């Protein structure tokens, strides 16, 4: 995990921290070379830094979270898999058309139990992003996912889905091959799976393309992940004809983990390493593993039929209206 | 001299009043309807008897939910359900409540879908008809709830479920709650399907976005009306993404049929008979 140690790319809301850190560095450098003792000044600045970090990271605005969720160094499905699961073997292809690398899947073990793991996969650089189509699947990606879910059901092993996509790919070939049908079928078929299904949003949960891996017994979200019907930019351009208002839209659309928890759409929020998951992959993976353990523990007593029933009740109850 | 001038003046006035003005030239509103496709003008009454299909070019006009009931179901057989459910404004979007109220007054519906039971040539079905005149037929909590309850009613009564879709997709103003209606309707359809019951989806113009990517596409049989626009992503979005001009017929019913995404494209005049036959062929002892 070399990425962990690389200087993290910073985000706008972190600007005051960067300034302060720079100043402390400068003072330290100065003390080292000059004959003045500034250690008490440095101490007080470091104290201020700690306070500021608290202020900023404990009070993150929706738009701050969007930025963290999209951070180029944010861990992806393939970063988490070796840290959470053992013996992972990737399985490819939908057996119908091709292998969509925007979704990866396979088998492995968790706490000694065989599981199926499926997740959106985006790239971290241009080359990998082109290969992974920026984590935006075609129909064959969703069909591969469904094939692996059905396989999991046959061998009675739980399924863990990691959600991290801007959305299903809006392309010509995707439409020709039935993007709508591929997503729709996953929703219906996931509803009928007789094994426990966990859906964990690890980054961006963009619309139908995210939901196609989201019909789980439990939906969990990382603290700084988002789940939305449309991107903040898209919402701003539709609602106010101005995509520059994305920041306002991010607040108005209620897309953060605490928002969804409040609307009773998700079961739990998985805490993140301070400042975002990209600051420490291993620690973050351990927090996710703990959440998976908790969910499995809660669901383990349920029979196949009871799992279907639990999923039914969960989604059946979502919606706000009066009568 | 003054008299002569008077005469001319009067004449001028007279001419002014006898000139046929623009209003009287126009056809009284609603009596005639112009086809947006071929510009043919047809008596509205006649158009109605033709199921709102242009007699010259076969253009299928958009239908309101009530027009669909009249055109499709046995006379007087339709009984609506869940007309009392009302939308809230969960995200507090400005003017959302007013928009719902005004569309409700305009269409006579409580939301963008009309649900209930009715008969197709004597065979009972549960039906849901979306109406694109209500917030573009978009799906929020109430649309999802009404469709889910209709599917559940069909499951309990052991009846086929038929839906006519017409929707721009998920409703922005209800955010992720709208998205989750895709999952909610799906879990209900799975239960209906597991009971061995028939689900027919009839996709009408337009069926896109989250509605296309959920119940509209998972019928045991998927039918569309001619030329209906059906697709996941919008044409403009796709053109911007792939940077190429899309074919004229892209995302039409015929395009989908050609690409294996539909069972059939059915003319509205044949819809009742086709649906009725499909239902009959799925009824034990009815063939």
């Amino acid at each position: 995990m070399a990425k962990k140690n690389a200087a993290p790319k910073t985000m706008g809301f972190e600007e005051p921290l960067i300034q302060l850190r720079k100043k402390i560095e400068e003072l330290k450098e100065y003390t080292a070379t000059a004959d003045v003792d500034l250690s008490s000044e440095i101490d007080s600045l470091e104290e201020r830094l700690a306070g500021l970090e608290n202020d900023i990271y404990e009070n993150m605005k929706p738009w701050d979270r969007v930025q963290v969720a999209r951070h180029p160094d944010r861990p992806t499905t393939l970063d988490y898999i070796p840290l959470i699961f053992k013996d992972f073997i990737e399985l490819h292809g939908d057996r119908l058309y091709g292998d969509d690398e925007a979704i990866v899947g396979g088998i492995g073990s968790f706490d000694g139990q065989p599981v199926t793991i499926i997740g959106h996969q985006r790239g971290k650089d241009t080359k990998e992003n082109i290969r992974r189509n920026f984590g935006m699947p075609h129909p064959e990606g969703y069909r591969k996912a469904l094939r692996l879910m059905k396989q999991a059901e046959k061998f009675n092993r739980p399924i863990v889905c990691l959600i991290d996509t801007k959305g299903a790919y809006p392309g010509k070939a995707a439409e020709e091959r039935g993007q709508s049908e591929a997503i729709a079928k996953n929703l219906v078929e996931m509803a009928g799976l007789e094994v426990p299904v966990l859906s964990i949003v690890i980054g961006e949960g963009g619309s139908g393309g995210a939901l196609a891996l989201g019909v789980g017994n439990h939906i969990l979200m990382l603290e700084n992940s988002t789940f939305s019907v449309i991107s903040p930019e898209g919402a701003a351009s539709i609602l106010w004809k101005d995509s520059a208002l994305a920041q306002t839209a991010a607040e108005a659309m209620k897309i953060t983990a605490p928002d969804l928890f409040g609307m009773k759409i998700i079961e739990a929020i998985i805490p993140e390493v301070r400042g975002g998951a990209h600051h420490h992959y291993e620690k973050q993976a351990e927090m996710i593993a703990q959440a998976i353990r908790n969910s499995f523990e809660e669901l383990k007593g349920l029979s196949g039929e009871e799992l279907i029933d639990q999923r039914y009740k969960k989604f059946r109850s979502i919606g706000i209206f009066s009568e | 001299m003054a008299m002569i001038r008077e005469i001319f003046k009067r004449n001028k006035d007279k001419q002014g009043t006898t000139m046929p003005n623009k209003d009287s030239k126009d056809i009284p509103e609603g009596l005639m309807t112009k086809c947006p496709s071929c510009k043919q003008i047809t008596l509205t009454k006649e158009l109605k008897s033709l199921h709102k299909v242009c007699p010259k070019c076969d253009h299928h006009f958009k239908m309101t939910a009530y027009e669909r009931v009249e055109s499709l179901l046995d006379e007087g057989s339709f009984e609506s359900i869940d007309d009392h459910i009302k939308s809230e404004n969960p995200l507090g979007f400005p003017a959302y409540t007013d928009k719902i109220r005004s569309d409700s007054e305009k269409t006579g519906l409580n939301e963008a879908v009309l649900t209930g039971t009715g008969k197709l040539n004597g065979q009972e079905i549960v039906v849901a008809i979306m109406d694109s005149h209500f917030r573009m037929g978009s799906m929020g909590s109430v649309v999802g709830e009404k469709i889910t309850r209709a599917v559940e009613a069909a499951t309990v009564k052991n009846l086929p479920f038929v839906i006519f879709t017409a929707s721009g997709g998920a409703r922005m103003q209800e955010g992720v709650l709208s998205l989750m209606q895709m999952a909610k309707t799906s879990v209900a359809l799975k239960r209906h399907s597991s009971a061995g019951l028939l689900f027919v989806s009839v996709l009408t113009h337009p069926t896109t976005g989250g509605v296309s990517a959920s119940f509209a596409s998972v019928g045991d049989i998927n039918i569309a009306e001619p030329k209906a626009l059906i697709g996941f992503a919008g044409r403009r979005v796709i053109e911007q993404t792939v940077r190429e001009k899309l074919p004229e017929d892209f995302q039409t019913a015929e395009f989908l049929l050609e690409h294996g995404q539909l069972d059939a494209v059915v003319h509205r005049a044949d819809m009742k008979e086709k649906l009725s036959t499909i239902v009959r062929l799925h009824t034990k002892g009815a063939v």
Side-chain angles (χ1 to χ4, degrees):
Chain A
M1 290 301 107
K3 274 282 152 64
K4 184 194 71 186
N5 300 319
K9 297 173 181 73
T10 53
M11 294 156 281
F13 69 94
E14 289 178 314
E15 196 54 40
L17 295 176
I18 298 155
Q19 296 294 342
L20 200 55
R21 279 197 202 112
K22 216 165 120 192
K23 202 156 185 188
I24 294 170
E25 281 308 306
E26 276 169 17
L27 283 182
K28 278 184 179 164
E29 225 167 89
Y30 187 72
T31 355
T33 51
D35 208 11
V36 215
D37 183 19
L38 292 170
S39 55
S40 69
E41 280 84 352
I42 292 171
D43 284 350
S44 90
L45 279 182
E46 276 180 339
E47 208 172 290
R48 231 174 87 194
L49 179 69
L52 198 58
E53 275 186 340
N54 265 339
D55 275 2
I56 287 177
Y57 290 137
E58 305 304 318
N59 297 299
M60 282 174 63
K61 307 260 181 315
W63 184 245
D64 304 339
R65 295 194 196 274
V66 169
Q67 286 172 280
V68 175
R70 291 174 179 175
H71 197 282
D73 292 338
R74 189 166 176 86
T76 66
T77 295
L78 284 179
D79 290 320
Y80 284 129
I81 286 176
L83 296 172
I84 299 173
F85 305 97
K86 280 196 186 126
D87 315 313
F88 180 68
I89 298 173
E90 188 174 351
L91 303 172
H92 295 271
D94 66 347
R95 300 292 188 273
L96 299 162
Y97 178 82
D99 184 38
D100 185 350
E101 296 193 279
I103 289 184
V104 296
I107 49 176
S109 67
F110 180 81
D111 287 351
Q113 178 186 24
V115 291
T116 286
I117 309 122
I118 300 163
H120 296 100
Q121 183 63 41
R122 56 184 175 79
K124 285 189 185 159
D125 52 40
T126 310
K127 198 178 155 207
E128 210 197 340
N129 259 322
I130 287 166
R131 178 180 164 200
R132 304 287 182 187
N133 200 33
F134 296 84
M136 301 170 88
H138 281 74
E140 45 275 22
Y142 296 114
R143 290 177 183 140
K144 166 167 72 178
L146 184 57
R147 180 176 77 83
L148 297 180
M149 289 185 214
K150 290 285 189 186
Q151 186 191 63
E153 187 177 40
K154 173 178 174 182
F155 295 104
N156 199 26
R157 53 179 177 248
I159 300 165
V160 178
C161 293
L162 302 179
I163 294 173
D164 186 14
T165 183
K166 290 183 187 303
Y169 187 62
K172 185 170 171 244
E175 297 283 329
E176 286 171 344
R177 297 200 287 273
Q179 189 73 291
S180 287
E181 192 271 350
I183 294 170
K185 186 153 191 192
N186 277 21
L187 304 181
V188 172
E189 292 304 317
M190 285 183 86
L193 291 170
E194 294 188 355
V195 291
V197 182
L198 290 189
S199 296
I200 306 174
V201 189
I202 58 169
E204 281 184 275
S207 194
L211 191 62
L213 299 183
V215 188
N217 293 95
H218 286 178
I219 304 178
L220 314 175
M221 282 176 79
L222 260 62
E223 196 183 331
N224 294 318
S225 65
T226 59
F227 205 158
S228 64
V229 69
I230 186 171
S231 70
E233 287 83 357
S237 94
I238 288 177
L239 293 167
W240 305 301
K241 313 265 177 266
D242 184 0
S243 63
L245 293 171
Q247 201 165 335
T248 317
E251 305 208 353
M253 297 296 288
K254 306 232 169 31
I255 59 175
T256 66
D259 290 330
L260 271 85
F261 189 72
M263 288 186 270
K264 297 196 171 84
I265 294 172
I266 63 169
E267 276 63 29
I269 301 172
I270 303 175
E272 279 192 34
V273 176
R274 183 135 99 161
H278 57 282
H279 287 286
H280 204 303
Y281 285 21
E282 287 85 352
K283 265 193 203 160
Q284 192 58 57
E286 186 36 54
M287 291 191 235
I288 295 175
Q290 191 51 50
I292 294 175
R293 216 164 276 134
N294 295 346
S295 277
F296 278 176
E297 186 60 31
E298 231 177 277
L299 297 169
K300 78 173 179 196
L302 302 182
S303 68
E305 208 172 300
E306 285 167 336
L307 285 164
I308 294 172
D309 216 45
Q310 189 272 349
R311 230 176 278 129
Y312 190 94
K313 287 190 182 117
K314 168 179 169 57
F315 287 96
R316 181 66 188 84
S317 69
I318 300 176
I320 294 177
F321 52 85
S322 59
E323 60 181 314
Chain B
M1 198 59 196
M3 216 177 86
I4 291 168
R5 226 182 285 139
E6 259 317 276
I7 289 163
F8 277 111
K9 200 182 167 197
R10 218 181 293 144
N11 277 357
K12 223 189 232 164
D13 276 356
K14 211 175 175 187
Q15 209 177 24
T17 50
T18 50
M19 276 286 279
N21 65 19
K22 222 170 167 262
D23 289 341
S24 64
K25 223 175 169 182
D26 268 2
I27 306 141
E29 196 159 343
L31 192 61
M32 306 289 277
T33 306
K34 194 176 185 179
C35 173
S37 179
C38 73
K39 314 291 177 215
Q40 166 83 7
I41 294 170
T42 313
L43 271 169
T44 303
K45 226 175 163 183
E46 191 195 339
L47 198 62
K48 209 175 166 189
S49 72
L50 295 169
H51 307 281
K52 291 191 88 178
V53 177
C54 174
K56 192 173 162 209
C57 75
D58 257 355
H59 171 75
H60 283 52
F61 285 77
K62 279 187 191 172
M63 273 184 149
T64 67
Y66 288 115
E67 282 170 343
R68 180 75 65 180
V69 165
E70 220 174 297
S71 141
L72 184 83
L73 298 170
D74 300 352
E75 211 184 322
S77 71
F78 181 72
E79 273 179 48
S80 68
I81 51 173
D82 300 319
D83 295 319
H84 62 290
I85 312 178
K86 294 252 178 306
S87 284
E88 293 278 308
N89 188 1
L91 306 191
F93 261 96
Y96 179 51
T97 311
D98 295 338
K99 282 175 182 166
I100 295 283
R101 194 185 308 126
S102 102
D103 279 5
S104 189
E105 281 163 14
K106 194 175 78 189
T107 59
L109 299 165
N110 61 335
E111 254 291 349
V113 67
L114 176 66
T115 54
T117 54
K119 283 183 177 162
L120 263 181
N121 291 334
Q123 309 169 99
E124 202 175 0
I125 59 166
V126 175
V127 67
I129 303 166
M130 302 186 83
D131 194 326
S132 64
H133 302 87
F134 195 118
R135 297 281 91 210
M136 305 261 290
S138 60
M139 174 163 63
S141 294
V142 174
V143 170
E145 182 69 19
K146 283 187 80 174
I147 291 171
T148 302
R149 288 191 191 184
V151 174
E152 287 172 337
T155 311
V156 170
K157 293 179 181 175
N158 250 321
L159 290 175
F161 176 65
V162 178
I163 191 162
F164 285 78
T165 62
S167 174
R171 189 170 294 168
M172 295 303 131
Q173 289 90 342
E174 293 189 29
V176 72
L177 288 166
S178 301
L179 181 70
M180 291 297 157
Q181 304 308 308
M182 294 168 66
K184 179 159 95 182
T185 50
S186 294
V187 296
L189 282 171
K190 181 67 191 179
R191 201 172 258 191
H192 183 258
S193 178
S194 298
L197 297 167
L198 171 70
F199 168 35
V200 182
S201 172
V202 184
L203 296 89
T204 75
H205 182 80
T207 298
T208 59
V211 166
S212 163
S214 58
F215 48 83
S217 296
V218 288
D220 295 299
I221 294 175
N222 295 335
I223 292 173
E225 285 193 334
K227 304 272 169 63
L229 170 76
I230 303 160
F232 175 66
R235 172 185 275 265
R236 222 164 6 117
V237 176
I238 299 171
E239 278 180 341
Q240 277 164 9
T241 313
V242 300
R243 295 214 177 76
E244 63 173 295
K245 196 96 182 87
L246 296 164
E248 195 60 33
D249 69 340
F250 186 66
Q251 293 183 326
T252 58
E254 292 73 16
F255 178 90
L256 267 81
L257 185 70
E258 195 182 311
H259 286 87
Q261 306 298 333
L262 287 173
D263 289 292
V265 175
V266 175
H267 192 285
R268 203 177 277 161
D270 305 326
M271 191 61 82
K272 180 168 185 168
E273 283 315 307
K274 279 267 160 66
L275 277 179
S276 157
T277 306
I278 289 169
V279 169
R280 187 161 48 81
L281 291 174
H282 289 83
T283 310
K284 259 187 204 142
V287 182

